[in-house]
Amino acid sequence: ETGVTQSPTHLIKTRGQQVTLRCSSQSGHNTVSWYQQALGQGPQFIFQYYREEENGRGNFPPRFSGLQFPNYSSELNVNALELDDSALYLCASSLAGGNTEAFFGQGTRLTVV
Amino acid sequence: DQQVKQNSPSLSVQEGRISILNCDYTNSMFDYFLWYKKYPAEGPTFLISISSIKDKNEDGRFTVFLNKSAKHLSLHIVPSQPGDSAVYFCAASAESGNTGKLIFGQGTTLQVKP
């Protein structure tokens, strides 16, 4: 069991709405990465935060944004939700430069109707 | 453009036998590879990793082999146990030391029959 916790676990939103997902990182980890996992696919990298700054971004539009706080926890915000945004959103925490594995949370299942 | 590919969506093996899961990649900049296991309603759990400077890494029942010239890696599980039944993801990083920025394959569902 990892120390990475995500909230909420499930969420239903209407197309066009905005959503905020939260992640608390593992103790001692300073980097948080967010992934989107569509049904039947592998997780896709959205972006990473290190020292409260975005440190790399995958192929996702600007309506996907994030924050990292001084305690290393993080938020993922998605504006103008689309039906295709329905997915499992995973947060992973890791230690920069440690070459140790990233630990994942259990994910937030977002359904857009 | 799938940089990491797991071409077998599913694999079924008998308990006690060997499970071999395969993964191919296209990006020669990848320098660190990982395998994750995922049960339903849980996040991926790290299994084993390998650096591009090695060709084999072993941890208990799990061994990962890397063939850089073929851009291929495989995960061997010996002996397979029913509790190993899960979805297995191969993942790669092009930034040595940054294991949070990963490219994942599509996953292979392993079923181990008693």
Side-chain angles (χ1 to χ4, degrees), chain A:
Chain A
E1 184 178 325
T2 76
V4 182
T5 57
Q6 292 185 241
S7 61
T9 54
H10 295 84
L11 200 53
I12 300 175
K13 287 286 191 177
T14 303
R15 190 172 48 183
Q17 284 188 315
Q18 178 266 344
V19 69
T20 298
L21 310 181
R22 294 179 174 83
C23 172
S24 294
S25 60
Q26 175 111 345
S27 176
H29 283 182
N30 54 14
T31 302
V32 174
S33 306
W34 286 92
Y35 291 82
Q36 180 195 67
Q37 185 181 11
L39 205 60
Q41 301 295 317
Q44 260 196 297
F45 176 73
I46 303 175
F47 44 56
Q48 182 182 81
Y49 277 83
Y50 170 64
R51 290 186 174 178
E52 302 176 53
E53 297 283 335
E54 188 178 287
N55 180 42
R57 186 179 186 94
N59 189 25
F60 281 83
R63 59 189 184 83
F64 285 77
S65 63
L67 283 173
Q68 186 181 32
F69 300 99
N71 65 354
Y72 305 125
S73 66
S74 177
E75 286 183 356
L76 164 66
N77 298 290
V78 187
N79 293 321
L81 283 167
E82 300 177 0
L83 297 179
D84 284 349
D85 295 333
S86 296
L88 180 68
Y89 288 85
L90 294 161
C91 164
S93 78
S94 55
L95 183 60
N99 217 25
T100 57
E101 68 273 16
F103 289 98
F104 283 80
Q106 82 283 9
T108 294
R109 173 70 63 187
L110 172 65
T111 302
V112 182
V113 298

Side-chain angles (χ1 to χ4, degrees), chain B residues 29-46:
Chain B
M29 298 301 292
F30 288 146
D31 57 9
Y32 200 69
F33 303 88
L34 308 90
W35 284 92
Y36 280 85
K37 176 171 74 172
K38 187 177 185 301
Y39 294 117
E42 293 183 14
T45 302
F46 170 76

Side-chain angles (χ1 to χ4, degrees), chain B residues 29-88:
Chain B
M29 298 301 292
F30 288 146
D31 57 9
Y32 200 69
F33 303 88
L34 308 90
W35 284 92
Y36 280 85
K37 176 171 74 172
K38 187 177 185 301
Y39 294 117
E42 293 183 14
T45 302
F46 170 76
L47 265 180
I48 192 168
S49 62
I50 188 166
S51 165
S52 61
I53 63 173
K54 295 186 176 181
D55 54 19
K56 178 183 174 181
N57 188 26
E58 194 171 352
D59 184 3
R61 296 187 297 116
F62 302 92
T63 303
V64 56
F65 296 92
L66 175 62
N67 182 334
K68 286 189 293 292
S69 60
K71 292 190 175 69
H72 177 84
L73 65 156
S74 61
L75 174 68
H76 292 209
I77 307 173
V78 183
S80 301
Q81 299 173 355
D84 295 329
S85 298
V87 180
Y88 288 77

